[in-house]
Amino acid sequence: NAGVTQTPKFQVLKTGQSMTLQCAQDMNHEYMSWYRQDPGMGLRLIHYSVGAGITDQGEVPNGYNVSRSTTEDFPLRLLSAAPSQTSVYFCASRPHRGDNSPLHFGNGTRLTVT
Amino acid sequence: QQQVKQSPQSLIVQKGGISIINCAYENTAFDYFPWYQQFPGKGPALLIAIRPDVSEKKEGRFTISFNKSAKQFSLHIMDSQPGDSATYFCAASTQGGSEKLVFGKGTKLTVNP
């Protein structure tokens, strides 16, 4: 039982490049989400999903796309990276939508856009 | 607009001392208030949580105090240890909207030996 696995751990992109941050969980959780963490800003919700085929926007969705084709995976896509997207990205999951069970976080992807 | 305001931004205490971190909120619909602990290089992990129907919840050395009328809640760490050195985040959500957990900006706690 690996929990929430994020890959890669580190990534450097040039402005305008695209990439996908991977997130997988093996706990059969319905709910998955992406947060970004910036110094002095806390954790801000980018996108979330309450089940396969269902996604919705969080607080800071611009510049990011998501899809949820399976229960296990929830990739985050940057279509055209910008320096403002330099951040640490965390994927998190919980068993069900609408409950307050703990969020299980991955260990993050540190992204630098030059 | 920041929905959950957390203070202080950083905190240094001596081993054995009491660490206190405060949070305030505006949205009276919030009804779930967790605290997450994050060590360097790791993702946050749930430490303790409270609902507004109780004024205090204690788990070991960690206590949440909740003041519904003042819309404030705080984390107290008794007998602070160097291993408690981490970043702490308060958060809030509504039952119906718990998909959107809103976090404070975090407090970096350093406990000196």
Side-chain angles (χ1 to χ4, degrees):
Chain A
N1 189 338
V4 178
T5 302
Q6 291 184 238
T7 56
K9 292 184 179 180
F10 302 94
Q11 183 70 50
V12 179
L13 290 178
K14 295 184 185 298
T15 297
Q17 287 185 318
S18 63
M19 79 158 296
T20 299
L21 280 65
Q22 301 292 344
C23 175
Q25 53 89 11
D26 60 359
M27 299 173 283
N28 200 32
H29 286 175
E30 287 186 352
Y31 174 86
M32 298 184 73
S33 58
W34 278 101
Y35 284 86
R36 61 178 289 174
Q37 183 176 19
D38 302 291
M41 296 297 292
L43 293 149
R44 293 181 292 170
L45 181 64
I46 305 171
H47 285 286
Y48 65 95
S49 168
V50 297
I54 306 170
T55 64
D56 205 347
Q57 297 181 350
E59 181 184 357
V60 288
N62 292 339
Y64 307 95
N65 280 351
V66 293
S67 60
R68 184 95 178 270
S69 56
T70 67
T71 299
E72 295 78 18
D73 300 299
F74 190 44
L76 179 71
R77 298 184 186 86
L78 285 70
L79 299 180
S80 179
S84 61
Q85 294 179 306
T86 293
S87 186
V88 181
Y89 292 86
F90 287 98
C91 180
S93 71
R94 66 154 57 104
H96 304 292
R97 67 171 299 181
D99 69 15
N100 287 318
S101 55
L103 276 173
H104 296 259
F105 283 84
N107 285 329
T109 293
R110 183 175 294 274
L111 175 67
T112 301
V113 183
T114 61
Chain B
Q1 180 184 4
Q2 186 184 2
Q3 297 194 54
V4 179
K5 295 184 178 181
Q6 183 172 348
S7 63
Q9 189 172 1
S10 63
L11 180 62
I12 300 174
V13 301
Q14 294 300 119
K15 178 182 177 181
I18 301 173
S19 304
I20 302 174
I21 304 170
N22 300 300
C23 285
Y25 63 97
E26 289 297 326
N27 186 351
T28 55
F30 286 150
D31 62 358
Y32 175 68
F33 303 90
W35 286 87
Y36 280 78
Q37 178 188 55
Q38 183 183 31
F39 293 105
K42 301 294 185 181
L46 179 68
L47 183 63
I48 187 173
I50 197 169
R51 295 189 180 276
D53 52 347
V54 297
S55 60
E56 186 176 282
K57 183 174 181 179
K58 183 176 181 179
E59 291 185 2
R61 296 183 294 107
F62 300 90
T63 299
I64 299 179
S65 296
F66 186 82
N67 186 329
K68 188 174 182 178
S69 61
K71 292 185 287 187
Q72 296 175 347
F73 58 110
S74 60
L75 176 68
H76 292 64
I77 306 174
M78 310 301 289
D79 187 27
S80 298
Q81 299 296 312
D84 297 331
S85 297
T87 299
Y88 293 81
F89 295 95
C90 62
S93 70
T94 61
Q95 180 63 37
S98 61
E99 295 89 356
K100 296 185 178 180
L101 191 62
V102 179
F103 285 85
K105 292 187 176 182
T107 297
K108 184 176 181 179
L109 172 65
T110 302
V111 181
N112 289 328

